[in-house]
Amino acid sequence: MAQTLTLLGIESSCDDTAAAVVRLAEGRGTVLASVVAGQTDLHAAFGGVVPELAARAHTEKLDLCVEQALAQAGLGLTDLDGVAVTAGPGLIGGVMAGVMCAKGLAAGAGLPLVGVNHLAGHALTPRLTDGLEFPYLMLLVSGGHCQFLLVRGAEAFTRLGGTIDDAPGEAFDKTAKLLALPQPGGPAVETEAALGDPRRFAFPRPLLDRPGCDMSFSGLKTALLRARDGVMADGALRRQDRADLCAGFQAAVSAVLAEKSRRALADYLALAPADPVFAVAGGVAANRAIRAALEDVAARAGARFVAPPLALCTDNAAMIAWAGIERFRLGHRDGMSLSARPRWPLDETAAPMLGAGKKGAKA
Amino acid sequence: MATCATLTLPLPDAQATARLGARLAPLLGRADVLLLEGAIGAGKTHFARALILARLAAVGRREDVPSPTFTLVQTYEAGDLEVWHADLYRLTRPDEIAELGLEEAFDSALCLVEWPDRMADLAPDTALRLSFRPDAGEGRVVTLTGPESRWAPVLARLANG
């Protein structure tokens, strides 16, 4: 029996405030409306966005976003089957504002409430955009995240590995900063890299010699600084040197992501999925060199490569509505006791390991 | 202003920065605030990570300690001690500190704050300031400065290797 479900999604866990309406009909999801309260005009700060910390500001924007999303979808609250909201992880003020807003709407309209993990929203997006079947391999790679997830079900995620320090998006931003390129750093570094020689500077490939899928990008900053200072003359950096530095940096990030993807794919293929898929989501997947490297790794492993459109890879509420639909179908409902969780690892088993056996530091 | 204790240490490589974090970790507690200053790539996050990992390891825990640049604040529980790791780089106004809940945390947690210049004069007077800068070669130098009453014994222990 085909089930039709229409959910409102609300997202305010980090820098953006968003609302969306998504419908499941005949097994496929459709985004009826997706509104993100713009931060696009605030490019000056680090990472391209200025964080919205004030819960009050989130609350004001949320009301407007919900109103707009419903108007764009041509629906009223009574046409909905439920309200989904990001309950974490994220900045506590924003998450609380979203949860309060969702509770108010759900209580007022007599609708079920579904709390969603923000990362589950990202991880389930390829099901909305490409109708993927479980299990698939997911690489979340953005400004704040970098992890490999085995997605076995709407509530079943296994973390195969991830960055132990900076995310690649952050490394791109900081590289741009160190080389006096504009923010956001991703596109600026990529443009320069296209003009450079990736072999001139030998940047490290951190953790490549270690087994597993963990990554490290923080040390690249130090390597880049040294290389930069080594070629600067009279406090000036020549154009070609800068391009070569960008090309070398991008090649290092690309090589690490490709090799770790190869290992994650091997783990995933051991599950013998019927239709193997490697899904990559996040702003970093928009980098053409990195994307080509990951496509190549997928092809060699015999897995289909899927990258949802960028608008659904950055923070948005359509992914929250969709993840809400997935949980709703599994019978999941949250009551008015739903609380905001600033920390909420997707894979609870991979989170803190108790009794790791390490001795305390020497005083 | 209270008399300050000060100590300058060479940090020839990343391991030395990590060792300093691990050595300082057991000497700290609730309501201690560390202000980490220095340019991008100076080793602030590396130092903070080593300190937090040492504190977690002392209670048998091991967790990822990601960069807080995007999330602004990461919190950890090391036994009874709550540890806050904040990166204020993306803040534009000191009043945003209040929204982060950082002022309450100064009293109730061990706080490591990167880019403390963003909070102007909101930093507590009792804080220990760590200033990381490059040395003449490929290493770094760090200068630790804080009110004598709290920090002189701590800096003395660090100075005695």
Side-chain angles (χ1 to χ4, degrees):
Chain A
M1 189 184 75
Q3 189 184 18
T4 299
L5 281 174
T6 310
L7 261 72
L8 173 72
I10 292 174
E11 154 68 37
S12 55
S13 64
C14 195
D15 294 347
D16 294 315
T17 308
V21 181
V22 174
R23 173 169 288 166
L24 171 78
E26 289 160 9
R28 289 303 299 254
T30 309
V31 180
L32 300 182
S34 183
V35 177
V36 179
Q39 298 242 345
T40 41
D41 50 336
L42 298 170
H43 272 306
F46 203 63
V49 285
V50 174
E52 182 53 84
L53 296 175
R56 191 183 55 254
H58 269 301
T59 304
E60 285 164 11
K61 282 193 204 164
L62 276 167
D63 290 348
L64 290 172
C65 285
V66 168
E67 214 174 283
Q68 267 187 44
L70 287 170
Q72 278 182 24
L75 298 176
L77 280 172
T78 51
D79 300 311
L80 300 173
D81 296 300
V83 179
V85 61
T86 302
L91 289 171
I92 187 72
V95 178
M96 272 171 51
V99 169
M100 293 303 289
C101 171
K103 280 184 183 173
L105 290 168
L111 292 169
L113 180 67
V114 185
V116 168
N117 181 309
H118 176 84
L119 295 170
H122 282 301
L124 294 170
T125 297
R127 304 240 312 147
L128 167 64
T129 57
D130 296 83
L132 295 191
E133 297 290 331
F134 300 119
Y136 55 90
L137 176 67
M138 182 87 205
L139 169 60
L140 290 182
V141 60
S142 63
H145 300 291
C146 183
Q147 53 183 316
F148 290 105
L149 292 167
L150 258 180
V151 187
R152 291 175 287 110
E155 295 180 336
F157 306 91
T158 307
R159 189 178 190 272
L160 298 177
T163 182
I164 61 165
D165 42 52
D166 297 357
E170 179 175 346
F172 268 94
D173 282 341
K174 289 187 173 167
T175 291
K177 187 89 193 160
L178 291 170
L179 300 178
L181 290 166
Q183 299 288 330
V189 172
E190 183 180 4
T191 306
E192 285 295 308
L195 308 168
D197 172 8
R199 284 171 301 273
R200 179 168 160 212
F201 297 101
F203 288 122
R205 268 66 169 156
L207 299 191
L208 216 54
D209 53 340
R210 291 215 220 141
C213 300
D214 279 342
M215 291 166 275
S216 162
F217 296 101
S218 163
L220 273 174
K221 285 197 300 268
T222 305
L224 186 91
L225 261 175
R226 281 185 191 153
R228 181 199 71 180
D229 292 347
V231 294
M232 291 240 291
D234 301 326
L237 184 62
R238 277 182 296 272
R239 181 101 206 226
Q240 190 58 47
D241 291 339
R242 184 167 74 178
D244 292 345
L245 286 165
C246 285
F249 164 81
Q250 183 175 281
V253 173
S254 184
V256 169
L257 284 171
E259 171 56 21
K260 298 291 178 171
S261 296
R262 192 188 62 74
R263 295 182 199 177
L265 272 162
D267 286 353
Y268 162 62
L269 292 173
L271 299 177
D275 173 23
V277 180
F278 180 32
V280 180
V284 178
N287 179 292
R288 279 173 299 253
I290 290 175
R291 190 182 175 116
L294 297 178
E295 279 172 343
D296 181 58
V297 171
R300 283 169 193 269
R304 194 150 58 88
F305 181 90
V306 165
L310 199 55
L312 291 174
C313 287
T314 50
D315 289 352
N316 68 88
M319 69 178 190
I320 301 305
W322 173 255
I325 287 173
E326 297 250 33
R327 292 196 93 186
F328 192 95
R329 289 166 87 190
L330 294 174
H332 187 100
R333 307 285 186 278
D334 286 291
M336 288 297 132
S337 61
L338 176 69
S339 56
R341 295 179 62 180
R343 282 169 76 79
W344 187 2
L346 255 191
D347 179 355
E348 308 262 6
T349 59
M353 288 180 291
L354 286 168
K358 274 203 174 178
K359 278 267 168 72
K362 276 181 290 197
Chain B
M1 187 169 165
T3 328
C4 276
T6 192
L7 174 68
T8 296
L9 294 169
L11 300 169
D13 52 29
Q15 286 76 27
T17 303
R19 272 196 305 275
L20 177 64
R23 287 177 62 215
L24 191 52
L27 308 178
L28 303 173
R30 189 183 310 273
D32 279 337
V33 177
L34 268 52
L35 307 175
L36 311 179
E37 301 174 334
I40 291 178
K44 302 181 296 297
T45 308
H46 190 65
F47 168 85
R49 180 174 297 116
L51 196 160
I52 293 164
L53 285 174
R55 221 34 221 238
L56 290 171
V59 294
R61 294 177 74 108
R62 148 116 221 129
E63 280 182 57
D64 283 345
V65 180
S67 160
T69 300
F70 272 77
T71 55
L72 306 178
V73 174
Q74 301 279 138
T75 60
Y76 303 88
E77 264 152 46
D80 295 338
L81 180 71
E82 195 176 6
V83 183
W84 280 50
H85 183 194
D87 182 336
L88 309 184
Y89 194 101
R90 300 200 298 142
L91 297 194
T92 46
R93 300 190 315 265
D95 62 343
E96 290 172 322
I97 300 298
E99 300 286 352
L100 275 182
L102 203 53
E103 283 170 300
E104 289 89 37
F106 287 157
D107 296 327
S108 62
L110 164 61
C111 295
L112 312 179
V113 184
E114 300 189 38
W115 301 98
D117 58 306
R118 301 295 196 273
M119 62 178 159
D121 56 0
L122 289 174
D125 296 337
T126 51
L128 179 68
R129 202 169 281 275
L130 289 86
S131 181
F132 295 85
R133 56 189 190 280
D135 65 10
E138 295 197 335
R140 323 262 197 271
V141 173
V142 65
T143 299
L144 303 90
T145 313
E148 216 169 47
S149 53
R150 167 68 187 100
W151 298 108
V154 173
L155 299 192
R157 300 224 7 214
L158 292 179
N160 295 328

